C-alpha cells in the first residue's frame, strides 16, 4: 500500500495492519469517521470495522475507502512464483 504522491509504503499481512493504516491516514488527513464514510460511500459501521481489523470479504468497499484516502494498493507476487505458476 502506498499513499499517492508519497513514497511511504507498508506491507499489509492481515486485517489489523490494514485497519491501522486506514485509521492513521484518516487522522493525518484530519477526517472524522463519518466524513470519510460519506466520502467513500460506505457506512460508518463498516469503516469502524475496518479500523478495528475485522476481516471482511467486501473488497470493493475497502477499495472505496482506500481511494477516498488517496491510498493505492499494489500487489506483488512472491519472487519465487512464476507467472505460469499462477494459472488455474
Amino acid at each position: 500500500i502506498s499513499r499517492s504522491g508519497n513514497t511511504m509504503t507498508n506491507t499489509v499481512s492481515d486485517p489489523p495492519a490494514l485497519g491501522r493504516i486506514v485509521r492513521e491516514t484518516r487522522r493525518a488527513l484530519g477526517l472524522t469517521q463519518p466524513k470519510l464514510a460519506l466520502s467513500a460511500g460506505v457506512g460508518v459501521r463498516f469503516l469502524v470495522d475496518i479500523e478495528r481489523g475485522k476481516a471482511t470479504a467486501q473488497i470493493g468497499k475497502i477499495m472505496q475507502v482506500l481511494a477516498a484516502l488517496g491510498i493505492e494498493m499494489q500487489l506483488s507476487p512472491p519472487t519465487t512464483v512464476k507467472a505460469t505458476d499462477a494459472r488455474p
Side-chain angles (χ1 to χ4, degrees):
I1 290 188
S2 65
R3 284 193 200 143
S4 298
N6 194 339
T7 58
M8 184 186 111
T9 60
N10 294 293
T11 299
V12 176
S13 56
D14 57 20
L18 178 64
R20 281 190 298 278
I21 292 168
V22 168
R23 183 177 51 255
E24 290 169 6
T25 304
R26 175 182 59 77
R27 288 178 175 169
L29 293 171
L31 295 171
T32 63
Q33 288 175 330
K35 283 185 181 181
L36 175 56
L38 181 64
S39 175
V42 299
V44 175
R45 179 83 254 156
F46 181 78
L47 183 57
V48 167
D49 286 346
I50 291 174
E51 290 188 2
R52 287 185 177 166
K54 180 179 178 184
T56 178
Q58 297 184 29
I59 191 70
K61 286 185 177 183
I62 291 172
M63 298 296 290
Q64 287 173 239
V65 171
L66 296 178
L69 289 169
I71 297 175
E72 58 184 30
M73 185 167 45
Q74 298 178 0
L75 303 174
S76 301
T79 56
T80 58
V81 175
K82 299 176 190 171
T84 55
D85 294 340
R87 292 184 189 157

